[in-house]
Amino acid sequence: MDAYRPLAAKLMHAAGEELHPAEAVTRLVLRGPDPDGRIRDLVATAMDRSGGDLACGLTLADLTTAWRPLVMTSDKLASAYALERRSPYLARDLVELSSVLAIMEAMAH
């Protein structure tokens, strides 16, 4: 359990109050300082666009913060070994479409 203390500390408010979801996600995403609050603003916008759906908000936050580095790293690694990668589930249009579908609709199809 001691190994989880640094992660748990990121999710705790100094005064013991509950964190806003955008603030909690921002704390988990950050790997360094964010003096201008750009990451916090991106995550807050994603959470606002989700209409209160936490899963959708987290998906949009991932798309906003991690999408480009993920694809760029994948491309660089594939190119380094002369591989042609096929990642249909990383198609941004597909991910955006699936994020707006209701959970029940997604499960029904």
Side-chain angles (χ1 to χ4, degrees), residues 24-97:
V25 172
T26 302
R27 288 182 179 199
L28 291 175
V29 168
L30 283 179
R31 288 169 176 75
D34 184 28
D36 298 332
R38 291 179 59 206
I39 300 296
R40 164 93 175 64
D41 293 343
L42 289 171
V43 171
T45 300
M47 292 298 201
D48 290 342
R49 285 180 50 206
S50 72
D53 182 358
L54 183 59
C56 182
L58 292 173
T59 299
L60 291 172
D62 280 345
L63 279 172
T64 303
T65 59
W67 179 261
R68 193 171 305 268
L70 174 67
V71 172
M72 288 177 61
T73 301
S74 175
D75 285 344
K76 286 180 183 179
L77 288 172
S79 297
Y81 294 98
L83 298 174
E84 183 177 343
R85 65 174 184 83
R86 300 281 182 191
S87 302
Y89 296 109
L90 289 179
R92 187 176 183 108
D93 293 340
L94 179 63
V95 174
E96 287 178 348
L97 174 65

Side-chain angles (χ1 to χ4, degrees), residues 92-107:
R92 187 176 183 108
D93 293 340
L94 179 63
V95 174
E96 287 178 348
L97 174 65
S98 66
S99 71
V100 297
L101 292 175
I103 295 295
M104 296 312 287
E105 288 180 23
M107 291 172 40

